[in-house]
Amino acid sequence: MLASDTVPSLALPALALALLLLMAGCVTLPNSGPTLSDLEREITAAEPPDEISATVEDRRTVDGETTRYTETVWLRADGASRVETSPTDRDAGTVIVDDGDRRWHYDAAHDWATRLETDPDATPYLEGLYAQQARYFEAYEIAAVEEATVDGRVTYHVTFDPPANETIERSISVLIEDTEYVVPLATSEREAADRSADRIEVWYDQETLFPVKQAIEGDGVTLERTYRNVSVDGEIDDERFAFDPATDGNGTDVESVTLPSIDSYESVEAADESVPFAVAEPPADAVPESVERDSITRYEFPDENRTQVSIRYRTPTDETVSVTTSDGPRRFATGGDAVAVGNTTGTIAETDEGTELQWSCGDRYYSVFAGHALDDGTALRIGESLSTGC
């Protein structure tokens, strides 16, 4: 999410760094408080408490349009969590419950629940909040530190200076540990990915070093998340982390989702040897000169009895091209208009993110995705280069 190719050095001696920033007039720490080096060390080494519950206020402003919503969260360090989003004039509210083994996502507007097994390697929500703070200190320089109060809690208010051209997402989830698996609460508009962050601020509770408030601002976007009524180690009832669709979901229908297993490979040959089908790799002249191969990944979907291998390419500006070979059709395949792909017929569709081309050949299924910033004919050109003999 927020990542930097250049990690600014924060290794100046504490006194020198403090004097430098004080001369610039941008640090106001209490006389009895920690030095900047001590503060950085304490926050990056901080361990989450066993439990935290709070009311969370989210405010998002995108191009002058502001959206507000409220969540109630119960979080445990062992991975259990419950997040209830309050109804708004646009949304009937959602409930996400994770007991550490499985996650429930209940959508009240559609009276629909999804159950999926929790990835055992995924970082727990609460741990992820703390881990994100270490990455801020690793990646960004400190622009200012001062003492401030948030909802009655005395905090260290830290302002970070992001590198130039750092991008932000429309969702506030940029402030939370990112994992391979995400239950989406909203979708992003394509142009939001190109917005840069000018300011990142975090308010750390001095007692627990929990980030009770976080804010990002830049290029017409302001994201702000504030934790109020914070209770630490309040012995949350185990029932909070249980979900029964018959009662909590008003008897709604339940869809069970099994997460895929994921393996990465250094070469197409290695990926090819791991599956019972030939992995399609486009010839070099079919791929835009601006892209370089970024990853080769195999996914196994147990609930679909399907395996796929995806080769992903990336441009310096993070536009992507992906080529996927599968031994079965995708459950949530994108539709589109009929189009000739070599000697067969496929479908092509324009999505918010880019162009997606799909076709099948015998018992093999193929798809090509190309980001919007690439040439309009990229997906079809790659598809045609792979369809020989079909």
Side-chain angles (χ1 to χ4, degrees):
M1 305 289 280
L2 289 178
S4 173
D5 294 330
T6 303
V7 180
S9 173
L10 296 177
L12 289 173
L15 179 59
L17 181 57
L19 287 174
L20 176 64
L21 293 176
L22 282 169
M23 290 172 64
C26 55
V27 172
T28 54
L29 281 172
N31 292 333
S32 59
T35 66
L36 288 175
S37 293
D38 287 341
L39 179 61
E40 176 188 346
R41 186 164 44 251
E42 289 177 17
I43 292 176
T44 56
E47 295 291 335
D50 291 337
E51 298 178 343
I52 278 185
S53 60
T55 300
V56 186
E57 296 177 357
D58 273 303
R59 179 173 63 86
R60 310 178 187 183
T61 301
V62 181
D63 295 333
E65 181 179 350
T66 299
T67 302
R68 300 175 186 270
Y69 67 92
T70 302
E71 296 175 341
T72 306
V73 300
W74 296 265
L75 311 173
R76 276 186 179 167
D78 63 6
S81 63
R82 185 183 185 100
V83 179
E84 297 182 358
T85 304
S86 300
T88 66
D89 56 352
R90 300 181 179 181
D91 192 333
T94 58
V95 177
I96 299 177
V97 181
D98 194 329
D99 63 7
D101 294 321
R102 63 187 58 83
R103 177 185 296 175
W104 290 91
H105 179 199
Y106 173 64
D107 183 342
H110 301 93
D111 199 23
W112 171 75
T114 299
R115 180 184 65 236
L116 66 161
E117 300 303 309
T118 301
D119 177 11
D121 297 324
T123 302
Y125 190 141
L126 184 54
E127 181 182 335
L129 284 172
Y130 278 77
Q132 181 68 51
Q133 311 316 311
R135 284 195 291 276
Y136 282 155
F137 281 94
E138 290 172 359
Y140 308 137
E141 292 183 349
I142 300 174
V145 180
E146 59 185 356
E147 189 174 273
T149 301
V150 176
D151 198 40
R153 289 183 171 268
V154 181
T155 69
Y156 297 118
H157 175 198
V158 181
T159 301
F160 296 94
D161 185 16
N165 300 321
E166 192 66 43
T167 58
I168 60 177
E169 297 286 345
R170 187 185 183 94
S171 172
I172 197 71
S173 63
V174 293
L175 300 173
I176 300 173
E177 169 72 12
D178 188 28
T179 66
E180 282 280 359
Y181 309 111
V182 179
V183 178
L185 300 180
T187 57
S188 298
E189 292 187 1
R190 172 164 40 95
E191 65 271 18
D194 296 328
R195 302 175 188 269
S196 63
D198 300 323
R199 177 179 59 88
I200 298 175
E201 297 181 69
V202 186
W203 288 255
Y204 298 99
D205 173 38
Q206 291 190 13
E207 179 183 351
T208 63
L209 299 179
F210 181 79
V212 294
K213 184 176 180 180
Q214 306 175 72
I216 292 180
E217 182 176 331
D219 285 359
V221 178
T222 301
L223 310 174
E224 188 173 284
R225 186 172 178 88
T226 306
Y227 290 77
R228 301 191 183 279
N229 306 314
V230 175
S231 175
V232 179
D233 294 336
E235 298 184 357
I236 303 172
D237 194 317
D238 290 341
E239 290 301 313
R240 285 285 184 194
F241 307 110
F243 183 87
D244 183 352
T247 54
D248 299 316
N250 300 317
T252 185
D253 292 334
V254 175
E255 178 182 0
S256 182
V257 176
T258 303
L259 295 175
S261 61
I262 302 175
D263 293 291
S264 298
Y265 298 89
E266 294 296 325
S267 68
V268 175
E269 292 75 17
D272 195 87
E273 292 176 0
S274 73
V275 293
F277 53 82
V279 175
E281 180 182 16
D285 59 359
V287 180
E289 294 182 358
S290 60
V291 305
E292 292 186 2
R293 197 169 67 194
D294 182 61
S295 64
I296 305 167
T297 310
R298 182 189 69 181
Y299 301 82
E300 291 190 15
F301 300 87
D303 57 339
E304 299 180 40
N305 192 28
R306 181 175 70 85
T307 302
Q308 74 177 42
V309 174
S310 296
I311 305 174
R312 174 171 289 189
Y313 304 82
R314 188 180 298 274
T315 72
T317 56
D318 281 340
E319 285 292 331
T320 60
V321 172
S322 64
V323 178
T324 297
T325 311
S326 177
D327 58 4
R330 292 188 299 170
R331 175 181 293 180
F332 302 108
T334 303
D337 299 323
V339 64
V341 184
N343 295 323
T344 189
T345 301
T347 61
I348 192 167
E350 295 294 328
T351 71
D352 286 343
E353 291 76 29
T355 303
E356 182 150 5
L357 173 70
Q358 301 175 105
W359 75 97
S360 61
C361 182
D363 57 356
R364 297 293 175 259
Y365 296 79
Y366 303 91
S367 68
V368 177
F369 170 84
H372 277 295
L374 298 168
D375 182 87
D376 288 345
T378 296
L380 192 56
R381 182 172 64 253
I382 293 175
E384 289 176 342
S385 75
L386 298 172
S387 63
T388 303
C390 184

